[in-house]
Amino acid sequence: MNPAQIAMTKPTVHVLCSSDTPKNAIQQLLYGLEEEGIPCEAWTEEEGNALGLAWKGAQASRLEVGVGMDGQAAVLHISKLEYEKPLFQIPVRSIGQVRILGANAARLVKK
């Protein structure tokens, strides 16, 4: 299923990861979202950096929230912000912060 098809099915936070994203970072991000009870869809993109992936996810999500991750960073974006100005950008190696980023993404939806 491609991102456009997912967007048409149900409201979720979109999590897009490059192929070099550490698996434990993805897992921690998803735990953060799950703790807040917000559904998400996650998939891997062959190309793209964390900022571009987060923007793409936010634009495609019915909830207007996207997270992008690559080997270096995790980025939280919402569709109403400018491309170059994401809400949060953190190092992906900070696993505890990545989990908090997932929870913060969920809290944006709950507002």
Side-chain angles (χ1 to χ4, degrees):
M1 189 177 298
N2 70 39
Q5 292 170 321
I6 292 171
M8 299 301 287
T9 57
K10 62 182 179 178
T12 59
V13 171
H14 288 196
V15 178
L16 284 76
C17 303
S18 69
S19 56
D20 65 339
T21 305
K23 300 277 189 257
N24 62 338
I26 297 169
Q27 190 174 42
Q28 290 301 312
L29 180 90
L30 297 177
Y31 288 157
L33 283 158
E34 182 182 323
E35 287 170 352
E36 297 294 327
I38 299 299
C40 69
E41 295 286 341
W43 60 95
T44 301
E45 295 274 321
E46 291 303 316
E47 296 181 16
N49 61 29
L51 177 61
L53 294 171
W55 174 256
K56 182 177 179 180
Q59 297 304 308
S61 169
R62 288 178 53 196
L63 297 175
E64 301 181 335
V65 177
V67 178
M69 299 175 75
D70 61 22
Q72 301 297 315
V75 176
L76 173 57
H77 222 311
I78 58 176
S79 65
K80 293 176 176 74
L81 296 177
E82 295 177 31
Y83 175 84
E84 312 82 26
K85 298 182 179 180
L87 196 56
F88 295 109
Q89 183 166 349
I90 61 170
V92 76
R93 67 183 179 279
S94 301
I95 297 299
Q97 288 183 351
V98 171
R99 188 175 193 141
I100 293 168
L101 187 74
N104 286 338
R107 291 179 188 136
L108 280 172
V109 175
K110 286 180 163 183
K111 45 180 162 165

